[in-house]
Amino acid sequence: MRGLDRAAWPIAALLVGYPIWWALGFGGLSVVVLAPPMALVLWRRRPIRVPRGFGPWLLLLAGYLVSAVMLGEMPPDTYGEFGAGRVIGYLMRLSLYLSLTIMVLYLGNLTERELPQLTLVRMLGALFVTTVAGGLLGVLAPHAGFTSPVERLLPGWISGNPFVHNLIHPTSAQIQKVLGHASPRPEAPFEWANAWGSNVSVLLIWFVVGWWVHGGPRRRSVAVPLVALCAVPIVYSLNRGLWIGLAVAAGYLLLRLGGRARVAVCSAVAAGALLFLLSPLPAMVAQRLDRPHSNDIRAFTVSATIAAARTSPIIGYGNTRNATGNHRTITTGRTDWCDTCGHPPLGSDGQLWHLMITQGFVGAGLYVAFFAGAVRRHWSDRSPIGLAGVLVMILTLLYMFVYDGLITPLSLYLISFALLWRNSMASGAA
């Protein structure tokens, strides 16, 4: 981006250059690569500003360090051996938490001259365009995928770890039998289909702010068809959490916007609904709602996660564990008569449940306190960035029940938090 200050380039590389990171095999891990240069700049700029309400996040990070002492322990009704895979998963998550913390502080310590708010918002808008392109790729070429350079370089015992493999092996879609037959769920350029669903909703919010609210005629003429085009992969994602999130976003805007803006939102929603009903997409939505196949799986893993967390409620177990059996059988693994049987990892159905198994009820409470505190502190900010940032914080609290935050979703949640923080500093200075 021409004219961009040198200090802003790590953020531009992260957001605008994300497709390159994804193709190389870094994807969501790109923030780990970019964190050291950001940390070096912060070190040279001491003293470092810290946002209000950052205490729960720092305590969450400290608690994850303490939870490492439980990596070798096994909660009841789980199985598995303590080995390299569990340690690698823990270290990767720890490096991501540390890197995201550095990123937030870096954003808040850049001046408006070095990185204007609107420039940061439009960087998120550029990632939205990438996300729509990736979603369409998942719909049109669902089997596309390739071995990344990072995957080729890593030894097999690391790249073969399921958690690591999902991060370093680029694919366009997940093929799942959500509708009773194999169907693609877009995930490019992110790590999972659910990550795509969470990310597209957050990025859509910032795209509207940067390209419509603060956009001229040229940007607005591009924004309308792009948002309409995004509806196709949103429906094909079969992602009920995403659909609910968009409905919550519409309700939030109707509640908080003024008269003329509220009319504009109602008109946009009505036009979008009409175009949707005239397309072939409603049949797919109806099929998805008629087949809530994941409800039983989620109910099993959530109840098993809560039961496990009760045995270590303060610091959790440091990493996920595999449940003994599943919602259909007490046995584990696939069989000839049950090809969908397996051993679901506890904490895999939402960030709240993930924190319960890894950091206990205390860690889950700190996560809620951090984002709920952001909503409370910035609720009075009625600027476009303030309204959008608070909406993302609300969606974060909604999505924690159904989506894992790591890897890329949590990056976008915290960038949105940083935008709110920067906005509050600008208001205070004014």
Side-chain angles (χ1 to χ4, degrees):
M1 301 176 70
R2 289 182 297 178
L4 191 67
D5 191 276
R6 183 174 61 180
W9 274 103
I11 304 301
L14 176 66
L15 298 175
V16 182
Y18 189 85
I20 299 174
W21 293 110
W22 177 69
L24 290 174
F26 285 102
L29 299 176
S30 54
V31 69
V32 178
V33 180
L34 294 166
M38 288 191 278
L40 180 61
V41 173
L42 283 172
W43 180 259
R44 291 174 175 172
R45 293 189 175 200
R46 292 169 296 166
I48 300 171
R49 289 194 298 262
V50 178
R52 290 180 57 200
F54 208 51
W57 179 262
L58 296 178
L59 289 173
L60 182 70
L61 185 59
Y64 197 56
L65 290 169
V66 175
S67 70
V69 302
M70 297 295 288
L71 285 173
E73 303 297 323
M74 294 298 296
D77 298 321
T78 64
Y79 75 97
E81 297 181 358
F82 176 66
R86 191 177 298 171
V87 175
I88 290 172
Y90 172 84
L91 291 176
M92 288 188 67
R93 291 184 176 96
L94 177 61
S95 65
L96 283 161
Y97 280 131
L98 290 171
S99 300
L100 292 172
T101 302
I102 292 170
M103 179 193 69
V104 171
L105 294 176
Y106 186 76
L107 284 169
N109 282 270
L110 292 180
T111 65
E112 178 68 12
R113 180 190 62 80
E114 291 171 320
L115 180 58
Q117 285 280 75
L118 185 55
T119 299
L120 178 55
V121 169
R122 285 180 175 162
M123 287 179 183
L124 291 168
L127 185 53
F128 172 75
V129 176
T130 300
T131 303
V132 174
L136 293 172
L137 177 65
V139 173
L140 300 174
H143 297 284
F146 56 91
T147 302
S148 70
V150 170
E151 190 177 358
R152 292 183 186 278
L153 293 173
L154 288 177
W157 64 274
I158 296 180
S159 61
N161 179 282
F163 177 66
V164 176
H165 185 77
N166 272 326
L167 299 180
I168 64 176
H169 184 77
T171 52
S172 62
Q174 285 182 284
I175 308 299
Q176 297 179 339
K177 295 184 178 180
V178 176
L179 301 178
H181 56 82
S183 55
R185 299 183 64 203
E187 65 176 3
F190 304 114
E191 54 271 17
W192 294 284
N194 281 347
W196 188 93
S198 172
N199 292 345
V200 76
S201 61
V202 171
L203 293 169
L204 172 61
I205 293 167
W206 293 118
F207 179 77
V208 170
V209 173
W211 286 61
W212 182 265
V213 178
H214 290 293
R218 182 182 301 178
R219 290 185 185 274
R220 290 184 174 184
S221 65
V222 174
V224 173
L226 191 59
V227 171
L229 192 61
C230 184
V232 176
I234 283 177
V235 172
Y236 270 88
S237 72
L238 305 175
N239 205 317
R240 292 173 298 173
L242 167 59
W243 301 344
I244 293 171
L246 294 176
V248 169
Y252 168 87
L253 292 175
L254 291 176
L255 173 67
R256 302 216 60 197
L257 291 178
R260 292 177 61 184
R262 189 177 300 172
V263 172
V265 170
C266 289
S267 301
V269 170
L274 179 61
L275 290 174
F276 172 75
L277 292 173
L278 296 175
S279 73
L281 298 176
M284 182 168 290
V285 173
Q287 289 183 60
R288 178 66 179 98
L289 297 178
D290 288 340
R291 291 178 177 271
H293 89 299
S294 62
N295 289 1
D296 292 339
I297 301 172
R298 285 184 179 275
F300 172 83
T301 54
V302 168
S303 61
T305 298
I306 293 173
R310 286 173 179 160
T311 61
S312 181
I314 307 300
I315 61 174
Y317 287 93
N319 204 342
T320 58
R321 298 292 190 274
N322 287 328
T324 301
N326 61 24
H327 68 293
R328 295 191 178 189
T329 173
I330 60 173
T331 63
T332 59
R334 292 181 174 84
T335 64
D336 293 337
W337 57 272
C338 185
D339 62 354
T340 60
C341 293
H343 41 268
L346 301 182
S348 60
D349 290 314
Q351 185 67 12
L352 183 67
W353 321 117
H354 173 80
L355 288 166
M356 281 186 186
I357 188 66
T358 58
Q359 294 183 248
F361 296 116
V362 173
L366 289 170
Y367 182 88
V368 173
F370 174 66
F371 287 106
V375 173
R376 178 183 59 81
R377 281 190 306 278
H378 299 285
W379 184 263
S380 59
D381 185 350
R382 301 189 69 87
S383 69
I385 288 178
L387 291 171
V390 169
L391 174 56
V392 174
M393 297 300 98
I394 292 172
L395 291 181
T396 302
L397 295 170
L398 169 67
Y399 288 157
M400 71 181 180
F401 294 101
V402 292
Y403 292 147
D404 292 338
L406 292 173
I407 311 298
T408 50
L410 194 53
S411 302
L412 298 180
Y413 301 158
L414 289 174
I415 291 174
S416 302
F417 171 83
L419 277 163
L420 284 173
W421 174 26
R422 288 163 57 93
N423 230 34
S424 66
M425 288 191 293
S427 299

